[in-house]
Amino acid sequence: MKDIVIHWMRRDMRLHDNRTLLAALDSGLPVLVAFLFDQEILDRLDNAQDRRVTFIHREALKLKAELQEAGGDLLMDHGNPTTVWANWIKQLSENGLNVREVHVGRDYEPYAQERDRKLSNWFDQQGIAFKGTKDSVVFEKNEVTKDDGKPYTVFTPYSKKWRKALQPSDYAPANSAERLSQQSLVGMDELVHQQVPTLEEMGFENVWKEGALVPPTIVEDQLLKSYGDQRDFPSVAGTSRLSVHLRFGTVSIREALRQGLATSEKWTTELIWRDFYQTIVYQFPHSATDSFRPAYDAIPWLNDEEQFEAWCQGKTGYPLVDAGMRELAQTGFMHNRVRMVVASFLCKHLLIDWRWGERFFARHLLDFDLASNAGGWQWAAGSGCDAAPYFRVFNPTSQLQKFDKDLIYVRKWVPEYGTSLYPEPIVDHAMARVRAIETYRSVLKPNP
Ligand SMILES: Cc1cc2nc3c(=O)[nH]c(=O)nc-3n(C[C@H](O)[C@H](O)[C@H](O)COP(=O)(O)OP(=O)(O)OC[C@H]3O[C@@H](n4cnc5c(N)ncnc54)[C@H](O)[C@@H]3O)c2cc1C
């Protein structure tokens, strides 16, 4: 039997600057890279045209080709993780390969934590070491805490401590790609029963049109230098569009941070927000599905289904809201400023439970990330750890005047705006604002 180690890729779909891959290579044993389409996650996707599945599938095939080029391969399958792993270990053993270690980049979401706990026990029983590495964030878990060791729940002091703690070693590149060419990999010839699951076998369709939807992985320094001035205008290409790449690890957070530190303090702060929400979901797993502040779970939401449908379809009669919802439906992306406006509109103007909106975003966003999405939604609803106060109700009309006054963004996504085809507002702003504040106040009164 030949001893090998496996690098199981999840949120780190790249060969360069990959700390988990480097940890696997550091074992000194031949490395096999694996990727599995987790059926537990696929089962929650109700749309056969889900863009993310196509994105991941394409990235996995690219990695497979890159690994084959380097003399290795990507082991792929789909199914329940425990079942797939049991099959893999058995098949590899039949091929004379004895798996000594399985390396993963740590994932902080509640489902992933639970899955990894179970798998860790299972690997333990098989005599295989299951090893986690921090790769997808700069600081994790308890690395940035208050002086008394408790987690921060407010962003500004967290970000100050984060910046103070930061050392060059925290963002130094990992030379994983260079090392690949110097070390023995487990290749195709050793994997007899190789399967490459197709999208169709998994119940999905290929929704990709060549060149569409995926933003580049490289961001110009110039864009980041003017980020502070441009980031709030949805008609301007003023943000990095790296979110999908940071979500699936097609760009390393450390390479992003290196560029941020060299070009833009404001943009670096956004990367810190990302770490903050990952830490919050790890420390307070309930916040992924319930209000971070439990008192907010008592808000008597109206949850009007017709109004929810109008919001989903971008037919609320508020042009900035409608443009954002249509951008989301057509591209899987929505500009951050507009995410804030549509989220606030749903929770405050329509008094619809933030979870309805959070789930809708989860279905449609190419960059969907549970921690940032629940964090963003709870920020808008007021129920989050460091949220907009409940009495702050965005005015969607003044937001439009401020951030898209020439209607460039609105006209792009809502071509019938200004004609008789465009709907009247489904709710009156002044009435809705007062109603929202009173409704929130009614349950939060003694302890807002
Ligand atoms: C209601 C709501 C839901 C959101 N859902 C998600 C989500 O599911 N996935 C997601 O990645 N972001 C989410 N965000 C945060 C933000 O809107 C996106 O990260 C951003 O719009 C992505 O565009 P960009 O890559 O051009 O960002 P840039 O402005 O260029 O920022 C760079 C990177 O920093 C991170 N970042 C930026 N803003 C935030 C933020 N507020 N919180 C956490 N990380 C941030 C992202 O990784 C982003 O790619 C949400 C925000 C709101 C208000």
Side-chain angles (χ1 to χ4, degrees), residues 116-246:
D116 287 355
R117 249 192 304 276
K118 278 194 204 145
L119 275 168
S120 175
N121 291 337
W122 185 82
F123 282 123
D124 212 32
Q125 287 158 18
Q126 315 303 310
I128 298 169
F130 186 63
K131 298 189 170 182
T133 298
K134 174 181 70 171
D135 177 78
S136 66
V137 293
V138 181
F139 290 120
E140 63 171 5
K141 297 183 177 181
N142 302 315
E143 288 185 329
V144 175
T145 60
K146 295 184 203 166
D147 291 343
D148 62 6
K150 295 209 175 100
Y152 280 108
T153 54
V154 177
F155 177 72
T156 304
Y158 170 86
S159 69
K160 282 191 183 141
K161 194 74 164 281
W162 188 105
R163 284 182 193 271
K164 215 169 138 195
L166 190 70
Q167 299 295 323
S169 57
D170 294 315
Y171 51 89
N175 64 343
S176 47
E178 296 77 4
R179 284 274 303 280
L180 266 183
S181 56
Q182 300 155 12
Q183 199 159 327
S184 159
L185 300 175
V186 178
M188 265 190 302
D189 48 333
E190 295 174 275
L191 304 172
V192 180
H193 303 293
Q194 255 285 43
Q195 294 188 33
V196 177
T198 65
L199 283 167
E200 291 70 24
E201 273 164 17
M202 295 190 286
F204 293 90
E205 291 166 30
N206 188 336
V207 291
W208 230 259
K209 289 169 200 73
E210 213 44 58
L213 295 173
V214 180
T217 52
I218 293 176
V219 182
E220 298 296 331
D221 281 351
Q222 199 44 49
L223 184 146
L224 296 185
K225 282 183 183 155
S226 42
Y227 178 79
D229 298 328
Q230 306 274 15
R231 64 190 290 257
D232 273 318
F233 300 96
S235 67
V236 175
T239 70
S240 72
R241 301 291 305 266
L242 281 187
S243 47
V244 61
H245 297 298
L246 292 171

Side-chain angles (χ1 to χ4, degrees), residues 137-379:
V137 293
V138 181
F139 290 120
E140 63 171 5
K141 297 183 177 181
N142 302 315
E143 288 185 329
V144 175
T145 60
K146 295 184 203 166
D147 291 343
D148 62 6
K150 295 209 175 100
Y152 280 108
T153 54
V154 177
F155 177 72
T156 304
Y158 170 86
S159 69
K160 282 191 183 141
K161 194 74 164 281
W162 188 105
R163 284 182 193 271
K164 215 169 138 195
L166 190 70
Q167 299 295 323
S169 57
D170 294 315
Y171 51 89
N175 64 343
S176 47
E178 296 77 4
R179 284 274 303 280
L180 266 183
S181 56
Q182 300 155 12
Q183 199 159 327
S184 159
L185 300 175
V186 178
M188 265 190 302
D189 48 333
E190 295 174 275
L191 304 172
V192 180
H193 303 293
Q194 255 285 43
Q195 294 188 33
V196 177
T198 65
L199 283 167
E200 291 70 24
E201 273 164 17
M202 295 190 286
F204 293 90
E205 291 166 30
N206 188 336
V207 291
W208 230 259
K209 289 169 200 73
E210 213 44 58
L213 295 173
V214 180
T217 52
I218 293 176
V219 182
E220 298 296 331
D221 281 351
Q222 199 44 49
L223 184 146
L224 296 185
K225 282 183 183 155
S226 42
Y227 178 79
D229 298 328
Q230 306 274 15
R231 64 190 290 257
D232 273 318
F233 300 96
S235 67
V236 175
T239 70
S240 72
R241 301 291 305 266
L242 281 187
S243 47
V244 61
H245 297 298
L246 292 171
R247 165 63 184 85
F248 294 109
T250 35
V251 165
S252 135
I253 182 63
R254 291 173 297 282
E255 62 184 318
L257 180 59
R258 289 193 290 275
Q259 194 178 3
L261 291 171
T263 55
S264 167
E265 171 148 358
K266 187 72 202 139
W267 193 69
T268 302
T269 303
E270 299 310 311
L271 301 180
I272 306 178
W273 269 106
R274 183 176 170 277
D275 263 20
F276 178 64
Y277 282 139
Q278 291 290 333
T279 304
I280 290 289
V281 87
Y282 173 77
Q283 297 285 2
F284 305 96
H286 79 277
S287 68
T289 44
D290 295 317
S291 295
F292 180 85
R293 305 176 199 206
Y296 282 71
D297 279 334
I299 292 171
W301 303 109
L302 295 178
N303 290 344
D304 181 314
E305 295 196 10
E306 236 172 73
Q307 292 194 337
F308 181 62
E309 200 44 40
W311 179 85
C312 294
Q313 290 186 11
K315 293 188 176 166
T316 65
Y318 283 93
L320 189 56
V321 173
D322 295 341
M325 296 308 292
R326 296 192 203 182
E327 180 186 22
L328 176 62
Q330 288 177 42
T331 67
F333 183 80
M334 193 193 300
H335 187 277
N336 179 61
R337 167 61 47 185
V338 191
R339 291 188 204 202
M340 294 196 288
V341 172
V342 306
S344 170
F345 185 83
L346 188 80
C347 305
K348 306 258 171 90
H349 283 73
L350 303 183
L351 279 173
I352 290 178
D353 192 332
W354 63 267
R355 280 163 280 231
W356 291 29
E358 194 276 336
R359 286 295 89 199
F360 188 82
F361 269 32
R363 270 207 301 285
H364 293 275
L365 277 177
L366 185 59
D367 66 21
F368 167 62
D369 186 279
L370 184 66
S372 297
N373 199 43
W377 272 96
Q378 295 218 47
W379 178 87

Side-chain angles (χ1 to χ4, degrees), residues 366-430:
L366 185 59
D367 66 21
F368 167 62
D369 186 279
L370 184 66
S372 297
N373 199 43
W377 272 96
Q378 295 218 47
W379 178 87
S383 60
C385 48
D386 186 3
Y390 73 86
F391 45 81
R392 179 168 172 205
V393 179
F394 271 133
N395 179 337
T397 308
S398 42
Q399 289 286 308
L400 176 67
Q401 279 152 7
K402 251 182 161 161
F403 299 113
D404 189 37
K405 71 175 172 15
D406 298 327
L407 302 176
I408 298 169
Y409 176 75
V410 161
R411 291 208 191 281
K412 177 168 181 192
W413 299 108
V414 190
E416 83 277 22
Y417 178 64
T419 73
S420 59
L421 296 174
Y422 187 65
E424 289 297 314
I426 57 170
V427 71
D428 173 66
H429 167 71

